[in-house]
């Protein structure tokens, strides 16, 4: 009949209400930021950073990728969330231990706990450098800033002036992340090879150009562990504290 409104049809864009939000109840129940970041870290631990995407993480959690944008605005925010997860794990480790009696011993405790977290999640460690280069100080995750505050408070409480505090803070972070990065660098060329020289791929390195490197390659392949970390940090602090 003339003037009669057409019957509304299911799915008709002219009659559809507000778009329904993507469901956020997955195979682990209702999502939370903590659950999303934990699953992202588990995925990276298993398959590396290249495997991480919103779509892949959504599949891991049993939800649409769009549901994740409530907890991370995009890939960069997700990567920053992984950094946050590492520092939250560091806080948990430190909270479960007794504080040291001196500022130097406490720095050693922080360094050792950081090393342990990094070895537990080696695939995520590059983010501790790349995201810190990409994200301004004030926009870093709060857990990262709390760690900065912890170290700066130790150094300030030890009686150093501002210039010395900044120098020691930078040196501490540089040594710690640098040491961990060296420990985690791949060294083995062929893990199935039993002969050490071939296992390390020394036959690929020209002997006449790289005699020293070839000579110490086996030693470089061995991890220094927490003992090497502590020894190097002590030497660094001795030098800087004397000049501070």
């Amino acid at each position: 009949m003339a003037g009669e409104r057409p019957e509304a049809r299911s799915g008709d864009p002219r009659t559809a209400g507000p778009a329904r939000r993507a469901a956020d109840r997955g195979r682990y129940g209702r999502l939370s930021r903590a659950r999303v970041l934990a699953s992202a870290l588990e995925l990276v631990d298993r398959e590396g950073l290249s495997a991480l995407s919103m779509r892949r993480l959504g599949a891991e959690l049993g939800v649409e990728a769009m549901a994740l944008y409530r907890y991370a605005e995009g890939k960069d925010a997700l990567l920053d969330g992984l950094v946050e997860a590492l520092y939250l794990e560091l806080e948990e480790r430190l909270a479960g231990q007794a504080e040291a009696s001196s500022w130097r011993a406490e720095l050693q405790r922080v360094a050792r706990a950081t090393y342990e977290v990094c070895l537990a999640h080696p695939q995520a460690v590059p983010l501790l450098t790349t995201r810190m280069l990409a994200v301004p100080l004030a926009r870093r995750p709060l857990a990262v800033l709390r760690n900065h505050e912890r170290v700066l408070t130790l150094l300030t409480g030890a009686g150093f002036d501002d210039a010395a505090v900044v120098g020691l803070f930078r040196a501490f972070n540089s040594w710690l992340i640098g040491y961990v990065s060296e420990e985690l660098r791949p060294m083995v060329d062929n893990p199935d090879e039993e002969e050490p020289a071939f296992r390390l791929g020394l036959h690929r390195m020209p002997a006449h150009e790289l005699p020293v490197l070839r000579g110490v390659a086996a030693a470089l392949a061995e991890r220094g562990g927490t003992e090497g970390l502590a020894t190097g940090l002590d030497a660094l602090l001795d030098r800087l504290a004397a000049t501070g």
Side-chain angles (χ1 to χ4, degrees):
M1 295 177 59
E4 185 174 342
R5 297 178 63 184
E7 182 179 354
R9 297 179 181 177
S10 175
D12 189 334
R14 295 171 300 175
T15 59
R20 184 172 63 86
R21 298 174 69 189
D24 67 350
R25 182 175 291 279
R27 62 172 55 97
Y28 299 106
R30 186 168 296 280
L31 294 186
S32 66
R33 178 173 170 77
R35 178 66 260 174
V36 168
L37 294 183
S39 291
L41 188 55
E42 290 167 6
L43 174 59
V44 170
D45 284 344
R46 288 198 319 269
E47 302 181 31
L49 285 167
S50 62
L52 183 64
S53 68
M54 301 298 268
R55 184 182 299 274
R56 177 64 190 282
L57 183 57
E60 288 282 315
L61 289 163
V63 299
E64 298 176 13
M66 288 300 296
L68 301 179
Y69 285 89
R70 300 174 207 169
Y71 309 99
E73 295 178 355
K75 180 69 175 290
D76 284 347
L78 194 56
L79 295 177
D80 290 339
L82 289 179
V83 174
E84 178 185 359
L86 293 179
Y87 276 89
L88 287 173
E89 185 171 326
L90 171 61
E91 287 184 346
E92 290 179 4
R93 285 178 181 262
L94 291 172
Q97 305 168 357
E99 291 189 13
S101 58
S102 70
W103 67 271
R104 288 186 59 146
E106 184 65 5
L107 281 180
Q108 289 281 9
R109 188 174 77 94
V110 172
R112 184 171 57 254
T114 304
Y115 177 87
E116 292 168 351
V117 169
C118 289
L119 260 64
H121 306 286
Q123 299 281 8
V125 168
L127 296 175
L128 299 182
T129 299
T130 58
R131 294 311 299 166
M132 294 304 98
L133 290 173
V135 180
L137 175 66
R139 293 183 180 271
R140 294 174 188 173
L142 184 56
V144 176
L145 298 180
R146 285 197 297 263
N147 185 69
H148 293 346
E149 182 74 10
R150 179 195 299 270
V151 174
L152 290 168
T153 299
L154 285 172
L155 297 172
T156 301
F160 295 106
D161 61 27
D162 287 352
V165 165
V166 170
L168 284 163
F169 175 76
R170 289 173 173 168
F172 173 77
N173 286 325
S174 298
W175 166 251
L176 179 53
I177 299 303
Y179 183 86
V180 169
S181 298
E182 284 290 333
E183 290 278 271
L184 294 177
R185 281 185 179 181
M187 293 291 292
V188 174
D189 180 60
N190 185 354
D192 297 325
E193 179 60 61
E194 294 183 2
E195 171 60 39
F198 287 105
R199 182 179 173 83
L200 292 174
L202 298 189
H203 58 288
R204 303 181 187 278
M205 302 164 63
H208 64 286
E209 291 186 53
L210 308 170
V212 177
L213 180 57
R214 283 171 55 98
V216 301
L220 286 174
E222 298 293 328
R223 286 182 175 172
T226 55
E227 182 178 350
L229 175 68
T231 300
L233 183 55
D234 269 337
L236 179 68
L237 293 177
D238 283 343
R239 174 67 175 174
L240 293 176
T243 59

